[in-house]
Amino acid sequence: MLLKMTGHSYRFECENLCRVFFPYSPVRVAEGTEPGPGEPWAEAAMEEGGAGWAYAVRASDGERELSRTFTAPERDEYHMTRLLFDTLSELTGIRPAWGMLTGVHPVKLLRQHVERLGPGAGTEDFREKWLVSEARTELAGRVLRAQRQAVEELRPDDYSLYVGIPFCPTRCAYCSFISQDMAHAKKAVEPYLELLDLELERAAEIAGELGLRLISVYIGGGTPTTLSAEQLSKLCGRIRATFPMEHCREFTVEAGRPDTLTMEKLLALKGAGVGRISINPQTMSDRVLENIGRRHTARDVVEGFGLAHRAGFADINADLIVGLPGDSPEGFEETLEQVLGLSPTNITVHSLAIKRSAELVTDEGALSLHKRPEAAARMMDHAIVRLTKAGFEPYYLYRQTRMAGNLENTGWARPGSACRYNIYTMDESGTVIACGAGGVTKLKDPYSQDLKRVFNFKYPFEYIS
């Protein structure tokens, strides 16, 4: 898709809005360029005149053209993006559930509205200003209420620790993360862990010098349980020996892939004081698992949950994905029922997000469901109804670009089992210190909305070198 802008520099939001309506057409921003045959395009222009500022948008889906204008006394990014949104929505017939919102953290934005105007007026202002549907406004409100206690209990000196293990047994077809499959990266594991130990030690020193309190630990990836039982025990032990743990309320490890689980590894985690794990089926259809490059079966998921329960884990999360290739609304509903039968305390429902570096991005057959937003919406809406009926509450929510149906990822928890790390990192309400390749430290000013991101080396080989 071609995007032209005149008289303003609101590129970021205009470009992201174009992606909402044309997610499979890469957006190129250029002046003095004409669109190719059948290529969608949009022109967004601003001009100062006697009556104020004139806003104009022309757009085409490659076949039909539409134009709209607007005049306002002031120069304002919202007026420009609202006019572009209205034009593209009318042109395509698409009414996004999240309206004009293209950002990752809609609940954080809702909180700002509520803090300024109060719960009722703030929620209504959020819905009307950003054109969010009533259903998604209600979902965001439920998440905001579920987060309240955890956010209010944060102290200015609190922080969470993220530890990245960027290795997996194999690479899933939808994955765009920096994780490396063990077939190519096995020799890098020990050097990586040795350097990670040094980084953890230095991070603990700095946090101690600043008088900070560790309240949550999260080991993610990748798939941390790709490591051996001995390596997992050593890593968790190093964290406990290096960081003061007296205020730490939770210790979480992503077990993730059920084909990496053994009783030896689970007991090593349990013995190291880990209280929460995840076992992520994504789907309970063996055919769909094969489509996405997973080398395990639904039966392995069932057995993994059995091992975890016998090892004494009470808090277990299960990740599911809406919009996987070869899945269907009926298949997703069956997956959800089977997972509920395994008694997880947390279930995270993701919308499939196809990033440019994922294998699926070039597979038109695999993308067929992703390109049917009504099917993805039906799956997600079913999850909201069914999980609510099962006694779960949504407690964190975030969004990504190029998501199936332009929807969301939502974490659901039974009462008393919400993962506080997920709240703090997704809501950006607390500081997170990240160690390891691909980690992103988020330094949150406790007295304002200011947040600074510090990016670690991205790839494990880069981290080592």
Side-chain angles (χ1 to χ4, degrees):
M1 180 180 187
L2 175 64
L3 171 63
K4 298 182 181 183
M5 301 185 303
T6 305
H8 66 92
S9 57
Y10 303 141
R11 172 172 175 164
F12 180 79
E13 279 303 321
C14 288
E15 193 174 346
N16 282 336
L17 278 177
C18 288
R19 289 195 182 97
V20 169
F21 294 97
F22 298 95
Y24 305 100
S25 179
V27 180
R28 55 191 183 97
V29 181
E31 290 297 329
T33 304
E34 294 303 314
E39 180 184 15
W41 56 267
E43 293 181 355
M46 289 175 58
E47 184 178 40
E48 188 174 15
W53 286 87
Y55 298 78
V57 169
R58 295 172 59 227
S60 169
D61 60 5
E63 297 180 358
R64 188 167 68 98
E65 183 178 326
L66 188 66
S67 62
R68 299 184 71 160
T69 60
F70 177 80
T71 302
E74 71 278 358
R75 176 187 175 91
D76 184 75
E77 180 180 15
Y78 177 79
H79 292 324
M80 185 76 266
T81 52
R82 171 65 185 266
L83 186 62
L84 178 62
F85 175 90
D86 289 342
T87 306
L88 293 177
S89 183
E90 184 177 342
L91 178 69
T92 62
I94 296 172
R95 303 290 184 269
W98 287 101
M100 293 174 61
L101 297 184
T102 61
V104 176
H105 307 288
V107 178
K108 180 180 177 181
L109 181 60
L110 174 60
R111 174 179 283 111
Q112 293 169 7
H113 281 258
V114 168
E115 288 176 349
R116 188 174 72 252
L117 300 173
T123 299
E124 189 62 20
D125 188 58
F126 169 84
R127 186 183 69 82
E128 290 185 353
K129 180 175 182 179
W130 304 110
L131 307 179
V132 180
S133 72
E134 289 190 13
R136 287 309 181 268
T137 300
E138 180 185 0
L139 180 64
R142 292 175 67 184
V143 172
L144 185 61
R145 291 189 292 275
Q147 293 180 349
R148 181 180 297 128
Q149 181 177 351
V151 172
E152 289 179 349
E153 289 178 358
L154 268 176
R155 289 180 23 163
D157 54 349
D158 286 344
Y159 76 98
S160 299
L161 174 68
Y162 174 84
V163 181
I165 304 297
F167 304 104
C168 282
T170 60
R171 188 174 178 86
C172 297
Y174 55 78
C175 182
S176 63
F177 292 153
I178 53 89
S179 55
Q180 305 289 305
D181 68 84
M182 289 298 283
H184 298 92
K186 192 170 184 179
K187 292 181 180 179
V189 174
E190 279 298 334
Y192 177 84
L193 292 176
E194 289 175 8
L195 291 168
L196 180 61
D197 279 353
L198 295 177
E199 188 184 8
L200 288 167
E201 182 177 338
R202 186 68 185 114
E205 287 177 4
I206 296 170
E209 290 166 1
L210 295 171
L212 304 182
R213 302 193 326 161
L214 178 63
I215 59 171
S216 177
V217 176
Y218 192 101
I219 302 179
T223 307
T225 45
T226 303
L227 302 180
S228 68
E230 181 181 359
Q231 289 168 331
L232 288 168
S233 181
K234 183 179 177 182
L235 174 61
C236 295
R238 173 57 63 94
I239 292 170
R240 286 196 167 276
T242 306
F243 290 84
M245 301 292 287
E246 61 267 23
H247 301 292
C248 187
R249 302 183 60 158
E250 60 182 25
F251 197 141
T252 305
V253 174
E254 284 187 7
R257 297 272 289 263
D259 46 332
T260 66
L261 294 180
T262 65
M263 182 58 81
E264 184 183 13
K265 291 181 184 181
L266 291 167
L267 290 176
L269 293 175
K270 193 68 178 174
V274 174
R276 311 175 62 90
I277 62 171
S278 59
I279 301 174
N280 302 331
Q282 316 302 15
T283 175
M284 294 297 280
S285 165
D286 288 344
R287 178 173 55 84
V288 178
L289 285 169
E290 185 176 352
N291 289 345
I292 61 176
R294 287 249 174 169
R295 296 181 182 176
H296 68 82
T297 65
R299 183 66 197 169
D300 293 328
V301 176
V302 175
E303 292 175 354
F305 266 85
L307 285 174
H309 286 307
R310 291 197 297 277
F313 284 98
D315 271 324
I316 306 175
N317 173 74
D319 277 8
L320 304 178
I321 299 181
V322 159
L324 290 172
D327 206 355
S328 66
E330 295 76 17
F332 177 78
E333 291 174 16
E334 177 59 28
T335 283
L336 185 54
E337 290 305 316
Q338 290 186 48
V339 169
L340 284 169
L342 299 175
S343 300
T345 54
N346 287 225
I347 295 178
T348 307
V349 184
H350 297 265
S351 295
L352 179 64
I354 301 293
K355 300 303 177 70
R356 285 189 295 271
S357 59
E359 292 177 20
L360 284 183
V361 76
T362 58
D363 188 339
E364 285 300 315
L367 288 173
S368 59
L369 182 59
H370 194 266
K371 290 186 175 182
R372 290 165 47 207
E374 73 287 347
R378 178 178 161 188
M379 294 179 184
M380 190 62 77
D381 290 345
H382 172 78
I384 293 171
V385 172
R386 183 66 184 91
L387 288 169
T388 299
K389 183 178 179 182
F392 289 76
E393 273 298 312
Y395 76 97
Y396 78 95
L397 184 153
Y398 67 103
R399 304 182 66 238
Q400 297 166 274
T401 58
R402 299 191 73 190
M403 299 185 82
N406 193 39
L407 295 168
E408 68 279 334
N409 303 323
T410 307
W412 296 76
R414 293 192 183 278
S417 66
C419 176
R420 291 195 169 210
Y421 169 83
N422 285 331
I423 294 175
Y424 299 144
T425 191
M426 295 304 177
D427 186 61
E428 297 185 332
S429 48
T431 285
V432 176
I433 295 177
C435 295
V440 181
T441 289
K442 298 179 179 181
L443 301 176
K444 175 67 170 65
D445 180 358
Y447 306 107
S448 75
Q449 295 296 326
D450 292 346
L451 182 137
K452 180 180 180 181
R453 292 175 176 81
V454 184
F455 296 84
N456 210 334
F457 298 105
K458 188 172 183 181
Y459 299 100
F461 295 104
E462 180 186 18
Y463 181 90
I464 291 169
S465 66

